[in-house]
Amino acid sequence: MPARSRILLVEDNEQNMELASFLLEEAGFEVVPAAGVDEARRALAERPPDLILMDMDLGGADGLSLVAELRRQGPRLPILALTAHAMRGDRERFLAGGCDGYIAKPIDTRSFASEVRRHLAPPGGGPG
Ligand code: MN
């Protein structure tokens, strides 16, 4: 059996964390929860995930600053912004800030896991 893809889920809202974890685990992912920037840093240092789901509002801390920090460090991991922001220009701001994609909250429970899967590298890599 192939190893399950590990998702680092950075989310400070307990209910969002519960729902997202449930959906990801149900889809077969391994979820590493982090309730804030410090927890996320510790988790990243411990064991790099295959993908990061990053809430953009972390109770005073800005998710995008952590994304910028990670992009300076490399290696490149897929990072998806998870955010309730739906203002015009936000998507562009997150993508310009180093995110590979954007998932709007409230989460669409039917498409959430497949949207995450779409951004994971295929197993074993491949050309290009
Ligand atoms: Mn939040």
Side-chain angles (χ1 to χ4, degrees):
M1 208 172 88
R4 293 186 299 158
S5 295
R6 190 180 313 108
I7 312 294
L8 175 61
L9 176 55
V10 189
E11 169 62 78
D12 67 337
N13 179 282
E14 217 172 302
Q15 277 175 291
N16 290 340
M17 174 68 92
E18 259 179 49
L19 176 61
S21 300
F22 171 79
L23 293 168
L24 292 170
E25 279 168 0
E26 195 180 50
F29 295 114
E30 180 188 340
V31 177
V32 178
V37 169
D38 293 341
E39 265 185 57
R41 281 203 191 91
R42 276 197 295 275
L44 283 161
E46 217 166 272
R47 209 171 164 210
D50 298 300
L51 181 145
I52 304 173
L53 272 170
M54 181 84 72
D55 179 16
M56 288 290 116
D57 287 300
L58 293 164
D62 176 11
L64 207 51
S65 327
L66 181 56
V67 173
E69 188 185 307
L70 294 174
R71 288 314 187 206
R72 282 193 298 271
Q73 294 167 356
R76 193 169 178 91
L77 285 166
I79 302 178
L80 298 183
L82 191 57
T83 174
H85 283 266
M87 303 287 286
R88 207 176 179 79
D90 273 341
R91 189 172 194 279
E92 288 70 19
R93 189 165 64 90
F94 298 145
L95 296 180
C99 297
D100 299 294
Y102 168 103
I103 295 180
K105 293 192 277 193
I107 289 165
D108 180 341
T109 55
R110 290 166 305 176
S111 63
F112 181 62
S114 55
E115 188 65 14
V116 170
R117 196 182 305 280
R118 203 164 64 78
H119 285 89
L120 280 163

